[in-house]
Amino acid sequence: MKKVKIALWILIFGFVGLLIFQNRGFFMAESRLMLDLGFFYYETPFLANAIFFVAFFLAGMLITYFFGLFRQFRDAKTIKTLKAKEASLVETVSSLEKRLSKPETTAAPADVKPIVEEESSKTTDEVQ
């Protein structure tokens, strides 16, 4: 599977390189970005389109990284609470198992004969 992943990434990078190579004119053309908010105006200097593509790609990667980082912290907190709940449930189960096994250990052994009271002969004689 690892070799398939490597081959897939090589294939993807190859197609991206082919796309850039075939469209060199577009990527090397210079242009500028303008931002006009009415009260604020900004214009970038002339830069190659390739620089804009790389800059926006890296900005997207950075934003994705931070969203993934926040999700990772949230998942870690969820895992921590679930592990604590599991530990308490395991403790409850073990205490219940101990309570169930306790009466069996305190019961009388099987080799001890039960004590039976014998009626005295006097009482039977007195009744007659």
Side-chain angles (χ1 to χ4, degrees):
M1 186 67 183
K2 190 170 185 162
K3 291 180 182 180
V4 173
K5 280 184 180 180
I6 292 172
L8 183 66
W9 279 112
I10 289 173
L11 192 64
I12 289 171
F13 282 125
F15 278 124
V16 170
L18 183 64
L19 180 79
I20 291 170
F21 179 73
Q22 288 179 350
N23 295 297
R24 282 187 309 251
F26 171 75
F27 285 109
M28 293 304 151
E30 291 186 349
S31 60
R32 62 173 47 176
L33 294 177
M34 295 183 294
L35 178 65
D36 188 6
L37 300 175
F39 60 89
F40 178 75
Y41 179 78
Y42 179 74
E43 191 172 303
T44 63
F46 283 105
L47 295 172
N49 287 338
I51 293 174
F52 288 121
F53 272 85
V54 169
F56 283 108
F57 177 76
L58 292 177
M61 292 293 288
L62 192 62
I63 291 169
T64 304
Y65 172 75
F66 282 121
F67 280 123
L69 190 64
F70 294 138
R71 178 174 289 154
Q72 187 176 10
F73 284 136
R74 187 178 63 228
D75 290 346
K77 183 179 177 183
T78 304
I79 289 170
K80 184 178 179 182
T81 57
L82 289 175
K83 282 186 178 181
K85 188 173 183 177
E86 178 202 11
S88 69
L89 290 174
V90 166
E91 182 180 323
T92 304
V93 167
S94 66
S95 69
L96 289 174
E97 286 175 345
K98 285 179 185 177
R99 282 178 48 191
L100 281 175
S101 65
K102 223 178 208 181
E104 293 174 2
T105 58
T106 58
D111 59 348
V112 175
K113 295 179 183 176
I115 301 173
V116 178
E117 292 184 22
E118 296 180 19
E119 293 181 19
S120 66
S121 60
K122 288 183 181 179
T123 56
T124 57
D125 291 335
E126 290 174 0
V127 173
Q128 292 177 356

